[in-house]
Amino acid sequence: LLFAALADRVGEEPHEAALLADPAARFLALAALPGLLLVAALILPVAPAQDWDLTSILLLPLAVFGVKAGFSIPRLPIRGRRGVAVVALGLGALLSFVLVNADTESALRRFETLVGPGAKITAYGRAYGNELLETYDAERKDFARAVIHAQRALDAEPTNPRYWVKKGAALYELGRYDEAIPALQEGIRRGPARDDAYYDLGNCLERQKRHAEAVTNYREAIRLAEPRPDYLNNLGVALYNVGEKDSARVLWTQVVQRWPWYVLSRRALMEHFGGADTARVTPAPG
């Protein structure tokens, strides 16, 4: 509509051809320009898998401006059949988007098509899209699919430590510790400041009864992160298994005192040290 209005004024007298003579049109044009430029800068260089639904709101002033310009065409009034045709075009565009997202499975198929192995998109777009799918898989506890999408993200951007850690974490959840450990170690090599990588690696090593190595990795995770009960609790488990039982009891006691809702440490104290220890660490009411 905007281009049609501009083309309709080509060859007219300047004072008659000025689309922006109307103050309301000038206002809409000024309101539309920043959003148009920002959307172009954010969206065009990136893959179609980029989630830009909220960013597209910035195009609303441009859309209103285009409608106003279209209605201003003197020899092409958008009424009657022309009006119906414009509405039909709009509905077609809207419904095509709605229908491919009619349910979760259809939306996932559309998204996987956009970022799949055969899609002609940038490496960043492929990695970003598959990371989103991996996160969704992990939240659903579908770790087999999470491994697939983490690997696709890695294939697109093998230097990104986050993808190595995600792959390792998914493999850990599947019990494939021998495969998870090298993936997590590579994530640490490429991103040594990631506490989650050390924590997941510690979990894998602990499952393999490599308790001393697990202790080292848990301690590094704790050093890099804000205080977390799961990190401290699992360090206590590893310490107990290497024979440092007093250190384990101190850690579990600290966890129960600071996070009384964290039941794993309370359960560990009760199991290994009896009810008397748990009684001493139970916070008083209030």
Side-chain angles (χ1 to χ4, degrees):
L1 291 175
L2 185 58
F3 285 130
L6 292 172
D8 185 69
R9 285 159 172 77
V10 173
E12 294 185 0
E13 294 298 325
H15 65 281
E16 296 176 350
L19 176 61
L20 302 180
D22 181 5
R26 287 199 301 273
F27 173 81
L28 285 173
L30 290 173
L33 186 60
L36 174 64
L37 294 176
L38 183 59
V39 168
L42 292 177
I43 303 304
L44 292 181
V46 188
Q50 177 78 29
D51 52 337
W52 63 285
D53 296 12
L54 292 177
T55 312
S56 64
I57 294 174
L58 300 172
L59 293 175
L60 287 177
L62 183 67
V64 177
F65 183 37
V67 172
K68 179 176 178 60
F71 273 95
S72 70
I73 301 174
R75 294 182 296 279
L76 187 65
I78 305 178
R79 294 190 294 271
R81 287 178 295 178
R82 291 192 181 94
V84 172
V86 171
V87 172
L89 286 172
L91 284 175
L94 175 63
L95 291 176
S96 66
F97 181 81
V98 171
L99 292 175
V100 297
N101 294 283
D103 56 35
T104 302
E105 290 306 315
S106 62
L108 284 173
R109 286 195 299 270
R110 175 185 68 85
F111 198 79
E112 286 199 310
T113 300
L114 289 173
V115 301
K120 295 180 180 180
I121 58 176
T122 63
Y124 167 76
R126 191 185 309 280
Y128 174 81
N130 279 286
E131 181 189 16
L132 291 180
L133 289 170
E134 187 279 335
T135 301
Y136 177 76
D137 295 331
E139 289 175 351
R140 293 193 305 169
K141 300 190 182 305
D142 186 354
F143 296 107
R145 294 294 297 170
V147 170
I148 292 173
H149 290 128
Q151 184 60 58
R152 289 179 181 175
L154 264 179
D155 292 340
E157 284 191 354
T159 60
N160 193 318
R162 186 169 68 253
Y163 303 150
W164 286 101
V165 175
K166 283 181 173 289
K167 179 183 177 181
L171 289 168
Y172 165 77
E173 294 291 347
L174 292 172
R176 294 159 58 178
Y177 310 124
D178 288 336
E179 298 172 71
I181 287 173
L184 292 167
Q185 289 173 333
E186 182 65 15
I188 290 172
R189 186 182 74 82
R190 294 180 179 276
R194 295 190 61 91
D195 60 277
D196 55 339
Y198 287 101
Y199 174 70
D200 290 335
L201 180 56
N203 288 338
C204 290
L205 294 167
E206 182 63 23
R207 291 286 187 177
Q208 292 191 329
K209 302 187 184 304
R210 296 159 63 178
H211 307 303
E213 296 174 75
V215 166
T216 300
N217 283 279
Y218 286 140
R219 281 177 169 158
E220 187 64 17
I222 291 168
R223 185 185 72 81
L224 292 170
E226 296 292 326
R228 291 184 48 161
D230 50 346
Y231 285 20
L232 293 167
N233 176 78
N234 287 15
L235 174 59
V237 172
L239 287 170
Y240 186 89
N241 288 329
V242 296
E244 298 184 28
K245 298 183 178 181
D246 288 340
S247 298
R249 179 165 62 178
V250 169
L251 272 175
W252 288 332
T253 301
Q254 291 175 350
V255 171
V256 172
Q257 289 175 336
R258 184 165 183 177
W259 297 280
W261 50 265
Y262 193 80
V263 298
L264 293 181
S265 292
R266 185 181 299 276
R267 191 180 302 160
L269 282 171
M270 184 173 294
E271 178 182 349
H272 297 296
F273 299 103
D277 288 270
T278 59
R280 286 199 297 270
V281 300
T282 302

